[in-house]
């Protein structure tokens, strides 16, 4: 299959690209579209054949559910059956964070085929703020199932080029909406009623993302227990066996988001001894020699997420782009500095942990 790449500016190009995407989506084909987090591989969410093509193109196992994108309250009600006890928290969270990088896990409606939710009684829903995505879904006027547009378990794409690197020849069309403004996948929250009378709603955080715990804590009681894996031991070696974790969100297993190159996440400079004849590259947070990582080895290449004092949102925007670049170098190992676990840094450090776990998990886990 030939994969077309269409620009979305200037305006006539946008109109043409949106029309081409909508035609293909109507015909049950998957199309890669930009969102503000990462590129998604979209298909009409109510069409089981279209959804099957998404799983096939990504080589995604059928037990890993997709996120459904909507663009209105009416469309949300089409895909989710919101119970009265969640009505108020859903209204609050969508009012605050939609359109944006927040996904809500809610009871699913019968309009959503079981393939989309991997048989779960719930559906994950978000509304993207990306103007190109918004144009497509408005013109189509149907909910779009769209997981990240990478092959299963690999690095999420944050540019149209990265989508091609993942899916060229497997899908008919990519719309080029430029680099993603957030750079890391949406925060996934499962809201629940208060756990005691008069209490706040409980917000189970299933995946850390651009909407941070600080952003969410005003609206409910945060619960992290579902998120895997939390830090193990402060100085655990990435090659140590990982204790089994309870998986509340399918797909939130270890060993996601992996480069092909083995990645080692350091907790401190002292724990790394380079081996002769091995080629290393460094993913540095802020590129400050005082942090102690830059001279640990003769790195084949060092990339810096946010040069200077280290700005977490900037690090997020560049994160997958730079990780993909390091992966393409063909070194023996990528060495990653730890990222401060505040704000969106929580999401970045989480992705690094999973990437580091990706190389010693059994093949049945997502990798
Ligand atoms: O930012 C994003 O969320 C991007 C853009 C394209 O929207 N999408 C994305 O989708 O990251 P994906 O498929 O790579 O991740 C979806 C994850 C699943 O792996 C699973 O962890 C969680 O969402 N998920 C989906 N449905 C769920 C459900 N019903 N219950 C719990 N978790 C669910
Ligand atoms: Mg993904």
């Amino acid at each position: 299959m030939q994969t077309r790449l269409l620009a979305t500016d200037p305006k006539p190009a946008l109109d043409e690209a949106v029309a081409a995407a909508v035609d293909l989506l109507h015909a049950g084909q998957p199309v890669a579209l930009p969102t503000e987090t990462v590129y998604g591989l979209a298909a009409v969410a109510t069409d089981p054949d279209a959804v099957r093509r998404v799983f096939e193109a990504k080589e995604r196992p059928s037990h890993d559910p997709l996120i459904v994108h909507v663009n209105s309250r009416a469309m949300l009600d089409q895909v989710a059956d919101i119970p009265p006890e969640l009505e108020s928290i859903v209204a609050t969270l969508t009012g605050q964070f939609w359109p944006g990088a927040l996904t809500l896990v809610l009871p699913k409606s019968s309009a959503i085929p079981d393939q989309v939710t991997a048989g779960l009684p719930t559906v994950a829903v978000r509304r993207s703020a990306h103007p190109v995505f918004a144009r497509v879904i408005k013109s189509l006027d149907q909910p779009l199932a769209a997981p990240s547009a990478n092959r299963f378990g690999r690095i999420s794409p944050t540019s149209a080029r990265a989508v091609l690197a993942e899916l060229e020849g497997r899908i008919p069309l990519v719309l080029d909406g430029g680099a993603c403004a957030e750079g890391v996948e949406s925060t996934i929250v499962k809201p629940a009623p208060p756990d005691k009378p008069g209490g706040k709603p409980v917000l189970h955080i299933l995946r850390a993302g651009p909407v941070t715990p600080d952003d969410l804590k005003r609206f409910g009681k945060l619960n992290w227990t579902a998120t895997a894996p939390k830090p193990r031991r402060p100085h655990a070696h990435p090659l140590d066996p990982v204790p089994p974790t309870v998986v509340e969100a399918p797909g939130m297993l270890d060993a996601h988001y992996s480069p092909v190159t083995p990645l080692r996440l350091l907790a401190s400079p002292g724990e790394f001894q380079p081996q002769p004849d091995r080629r290393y590259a460094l993913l540095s947070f802020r590129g400050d020699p005082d942090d102690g990582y830059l001279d640990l080895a003769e790195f084949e290449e060092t990339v810096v997420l946010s040069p200077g004092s280290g700005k977490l949102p900037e690090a997020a925007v560049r994160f997958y782009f730079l990780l993909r670049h390091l992966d393409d170098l063909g070194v023996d190992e990528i060495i990653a500095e730890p990222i401060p676990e505040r704000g969106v840094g929580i999401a970045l450090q989480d992705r690094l942990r999973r990437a580091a776990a990706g190389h010693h998990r059994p093949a049945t886990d997502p990798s």
Side-chain angles (χ1 to χ4, degrees):
M1 183 187 302
Q2 272 273 88
T3 303
R4 289 169 74 205
L5 174 65
L6 291 179
T8 58
D9 59 359
K11 176 86 168 61
L14 174 64
D15 294 342
E16 211 176 292
V18 169
V22 169
D23 281 350
L24 282 164
L25 290 165
H26 270 310
Q29 292 297 321
V31 174
L33 300 174
T35 86
E36 70 276 41
T37 56
V38 302
Y39 276 69
L41 183 60
V44 172
T46 51
D47 177 348
D49 284 332
V51 168
R52 179 176 48 77
R53 292 192 181 97
V54 169
F55 278 93
E56 281 170 6
K58 282 184 55 97
E59 295 175 31
R60 186 180 179 110
S62 56
H63 61 72
D64 194 2
L66 309 184
I67 292 177
V68 173
H69 297 64
V70 300
N71 79 334
S72 64
R73 174 63 207 226
M75 208 182 275
L76 171 61
D77 286 325
Q78 186 190 336
V79 305
D81 281 338
I82 301 168
E85 65 272 21
L86 292 182
E87 183 52 56
S88 144
I89 184 65
V90 169
T92 303
L93 293 175
T94 55
Q96 278 292 319
F97 299 107
W98 281 15
L102 180 71
T103 294
L104 295 177
V105 172
L106 298 166
K108 95 183 215 4
S109 81
S110 56
I112 294 300
D114 287 336
Q115 286 91 326
V116 170
T117 62
L120 290 171
T122 52
V123 60
V125 195
R126 72 175 281 239
R127 177 174 182 179
S128 170
H130 196 289
V132 173
F133 197 100
R135 272 283 308 263
V136 170
I137 196 168
K138 180 158 192 252
S139 158
L140 188 75
D141 199 23
Q142 292 188 72
L144 284 173
S148 53
N150 49 280
R151 274 171 288 147
F152 183 63
R154 302 245 7 243
I155 302 173
S156 293
T158 51
S159 70
R161 283 268 153 235
V163 175
L164 288 180
E166 290 289 323
L167 298 176
E168 179 144 41
R170 294 163 173 252
I171 58 172
L173 178 63
V174 182
L175 297 198
D176 185 350
C180 300
E182 301 279 6
V184 61
E185 304 85 353
S186 62
T187 306
I188 304 182
V189 168
K190 185 176 182 179
D195 51 6
K196 55 174 189 284
K200 283 183 173 184
V202 180
L203 304 178
H204 297 280
I205 302 180
L206 306 187
R207 178 171 74 182
V211 174
T212 67
D214 274 346
D215 298 330
L216 290 166
K217 69 182 184 210
R218 295 202 275 142
F219 305 107
K221 182 172 152 188
L222 305 189
N223 181 327
W224 281 90
T225 54
T227 315
K230 284 303 274 179
R232 293 173 276 148
R233 287 174 282 123
H235 298 292
H237 188 278
L239 299 181
D240 287 349
V242 178
T245 41
V246 181
V247 179
E248 155 110 355
M252 288 314 294
L253 305 167
D254 300 350
H256 235 86
Y257 315 102
S258 300
V260 173
T261 312
L263 181 143
R264 187 189 308 203
L265 172 60
L266 301 183
S268 68
E271 71 186 33
F272 176 58
Q273 251 90 52
Q275 284 168 29
D277 306 329
R278 296 219 359 128
R279 295 158 61 236
Y280 300 100
L282 180 69
L283 180 67
S284 172
F285 173 50
R286 53 182 192 170
D288 189 333
D290 290 346
D291 293 340
Y293 294 93
L294 298 188
D295 297 324
L296 282 177
E298 291 217 4
F299 292 112
E300 193 125 329
E301 187 158 335
T302 294
V303 296
V304 180
L305 287 166
S306 177
S309 55
K311 301 262 181 282
L312 291 164
E314 179 180 77
V317 169
R318 290 156 53 80
F319 182 75
Y320 283 131
F321 179 78
L322 290 176
L323 200 52
R324 191 172 282 278
H325 170 71
L326 293 184
D327 200 15
D328 289 342
L329 294 176
V331 295
D332 295 311
E333 202 170 14
I334 297 168
I335 306 300
E337 291 182 17
I339 295 179
E341 287 185 272
R342 332 178 276 276
V344 73
I346 297 168
L348 302 183
Q349 182 73 355
D350 167 75
R351 303 307 189 270
L352 285 178
R353 271 195 200 101
R354 290 174 204 280
H359 294 280
H360 62 101
R361 299 295 290 169
T364 48
D365 274 357
S367 59

